[in-house]
Amino acid sequence: MKKIEAYIRPEKLEEIKTVLDKYNLNGMSIIQIMGCGNQKGWKEYVRGTEVDYNFLQKIKIELVVLDEQVEKIIQSIIEVSSTGEYGDGKIFLYNVEDAIRVRTKERGEAAIK
């Protein structure tokens, strides 16, 4: 099992959720965050004074998926969220040792299906 953490632009969320629906995932977590990277935010002038906004709104998606689903899901996220511009996001991949469904006490792959 793998955990996928994807940081994306907020405007891409609905499209990504639609694409991920075809994988029959048992669940995902979506978190609104603020962050910065190469994009470095933006500058605005407020009452004649320059204001530098270093942090931009992003969405963090967390999924735990079966090993055989990982590459397809990653490719789907990349296809939907790529604009070719700074700020498209990042994807991180982690190994998951075990998963436990609290209600039924199922473990491993059975807990995430």
Side-chain angles (χ1 to χ4, degrees), residues 8 17 21 26 47 54 67 76 80-81 94 109 113:
I8 61 163
K17 283 179 7 185
D21 275 348
N26 195 26
R47 298 185 183 136
N54 290 331
D67 289 337
S76 294
V80 170
S81 46
Y94 304 93
E109 291 183 5
K113 286 185 180 181

Side-chain angles (χ1 to χ4, degrees), residues 92-106:
F92 297 98
L93 192 59
Y94 304 93
N95 288 319
V96 175
E97 281 188 44
D98 201 1
I100 303 161
R101 185 183 317 251
V102 175
R103 178 178 53 86
T104 62
K105 299 170 189 63
E106 294 171 291

Side-chain angles (χ1 to χ4, degrees), residues 2-112:
K2 303 280 190 227
K3 177 181 179 183
I4 299 172
E5 261 182 29
Y7 295 80
I8 61 163
R9 296 175 183 264
E11 62 268 19
K12 297 293 187 173
L13 177 59
E14 290 304 318
E15 198 175 344
I16 286 177
K17 283 179 7 185
T18 301
V19 167
L20 292 180
D21 275 348
K22 71 181 178 185
Y23 295 106
N24 298 319
L25 300 173
N26 195 26
M28 74 174 91
S29 298
I30 298 172
I31 306 153
Q32 292 182 355
I33 61 169
M34 302 277 295
C36 69
N38 288 334
Q39 194 175 6
K40 304 292 187 223
W42 75 95
K43 293 181 180 169
E44 283 185 11
Y45 287 91
V46 178
R47 298 185 183 136
T49 303
E50 185 177 83
V51 178
D52 193 6
Y53 295 97
N54 290 331
F55 295 102
L56 301 171
Q57 287 190 333
K58 297 291 179 186
I59 298 291
K60 178 181 175 183
I61 301 172
E62 294 181 348
L63 308 158
V64 176
V65 301
L66 302 175
D67 289 337
E68 57 267 16
Q69 295 176 304
V70 172
E71 286 306 316
K72 291 177 186 174
I73 291 172
I74 289 173
Q75 285 306 318
S76 294
I77 293 170
I78 290 170
E79 286 172 19
V80 170
S81 46
S82 178
T83 67
E85 302 291 326
Y86 283 117
D88 281 348
K90 293 249 189 322
I91 299 173
F92 297 98
L93 192 59
Y94 304 93
N95 288 319
V96 175
E97 281 188 44
D98 201 1
I100 303 161
R101 185 183 317 251
V102 175
R103 178 178 53 86
T104 62
K105 299 170 189 63
E106 294 171 291
R107 292 187 79 126
E109 291 183 5
I112 64 168

